Amino acid sequence: MSELSKSEEGFPDPGEAQCPVNVQLLGAEAGVAASTSASSLTVSSVATGEPLPQETLKEMKANLIKFLLFKYRAKELTSQAEILKKVLRDNQEHFPVVFSQASQCLELVCGVEVKEVDPREHIYIMVPNLGLTCDVMLSGGQSMPKAGLLVLILSLIMRNGDRAPEEKVWGALSRLGVCVGSVHCVFGDPRTLLTHVWVQQGYLEYRKVPYSYPARYEFLWGP
């Protein structure tokens, strides 16, 4: 508890924390995570029974994601009480929805899992998941948004029976503004990134679908 107590004083506002994360990408994928998870809470399931406006929900999730990522990078614990005090403030009754969806988004986009280490005090720690961490990607000279994009693609492959048709991958990425044939301001040439860079690094496998004519291609998890 000492580590948690130390972080209570002078902790920066989540809106001011300098966290290298693409909030637009996180917000978009939060919607994917919420809609595809059978166990996710719905917006109407808050304690008051009143639906939370989507824009308000999106803003609260983005603030909580930034807060949790700040804690992860600082290697600090956090608690439900701290989240309620510093992030949700006057929206404390919406904690179950916001926390559930922000945690799903954080795991899916950044490969970081939120684990409860003390159920009685509701204390949480952020740990790397899927064998992939933001730290690993950053140490290789890549940005956190690239790590998020890679985790998104890996999750698409997993949800499609461990192999995802190329057209389905590009269709999902296009909804995030990442389009084949267009140079992205963060990811550069996405086709080169997916079919060459990450294939050579062993994150993805890109291969022709056997006996397909005309030729079709698919993505699989790399070694």
Side-chain angles (χ1 to χ4, degrees):
M1 285 297 291
S2 59
E3 183 180 6
L4 182 60
S5 300
K6 285 192 298 182
S7 65
E8 287 288 341
E9 296 298 329
F11 195 89
D13 184 278
E16 299 173 353
Q18 297 300 312
C19 182
V21 66
N22 187 318
V23 177
Q24 182 178 7
L25 176 60
L26 289 175
E29 185 50 35
V32 176
S35 63
T36 57
S37 174
S39 61
S40 63
L41 295 171
T42 62
V43 177
S44 61
S45 64
V46 294
T48 61
E50 299 177 358
L52 188 66
Q54 288 297 323
E55 287 303 314
T56 303
L57 175 65
K58 186 182 298 184
E59 181 180 357
M60 290 165 63
K61 285 190 295 187
N63 285 338
L64 181 53
I65 289 166
K66 287 193 291 183
F67 178 82
L68 294 174
L69 281 172
F70 191 100
K71 287 290 190 179
Y72 171 72
R73 299 293 288 171
K75 296 180 170 60
E76 294 180 344
L77 303 175
T78 190
S79 67
Q80 179 175 330
E82 184 179 34
I83 292 170
L84 292 175
K85 177 182 178 181
K86 297 186 176 182
V87 183
L88 300 188
R89 296 171 182 166
D90 296 331
N91 299 283
Q92 297 183 1
E93 69 272 20
H94 300 302
F95 176 84
V97 172
V98 177
F99 183 77
S100 173
Q101 295 189 9
S103 298
Q104 292 165 11
C105 180
L106 194 64
E107 182 173 2
L108 185 60
V109 176
C110 293
V112 176
E113 182 179 0
V114 182
K115 286 191 172 183
E116 190 173 44
V117 294
D118 187 337
R120 187 176 64 177
E121 298 292 334
H122 301 295
I123 297 174
Y124 306 98
I125 188 172
M126 279 58 69
V127 296
N129 196 11
L130 298 174
L132 173 71
T133 70
C134 299
D135 295 330
V136 171
M137 295 294 288
L138 291 171
S139 66
Q142 304 198 55
S143 65
M144 189 177 290
K146 282 188 179 179
L149 185 70
L150 177 56
V151 174
L152 169 60
I153 295 168
L154 292 174
S155 70
L156 285 172
I157 295 171
M158 182 172 63
R159 292 202 304 267
N160 282 275
D162 296 330
R163 60 189 65 205
E166 181 180 25
E167 59 270 20
K168 181 166 287 189
V169 171
W170 292 121
L173 296 186
S174 67
R175 294 193 289 274
L176 301 177
V178 181
C179 302
V180 62
S182 300
V183 177
H184 192 272
C185 61
V186 174
F187 308 119
D189 181 354
R191 175 176 286 279
T192 299
L193 182 63
L194 270 64
T195 63
H196 294 284
V197 177
W198 284 341
V199 169
Q200 292 174 355
Q201 293 176 348
Y203 290 117
L204 297 174
E205 183 179 344
Y206 178 67
R207 72 181 188 186
K208 179 183 176 182
V209 177
Y211 309 111
S212 63
Y213 184 82
R216 292 184 296 107
Y217 291 83
E218 62 187 2
F219 288 96
L220 294 86
W221 277 46

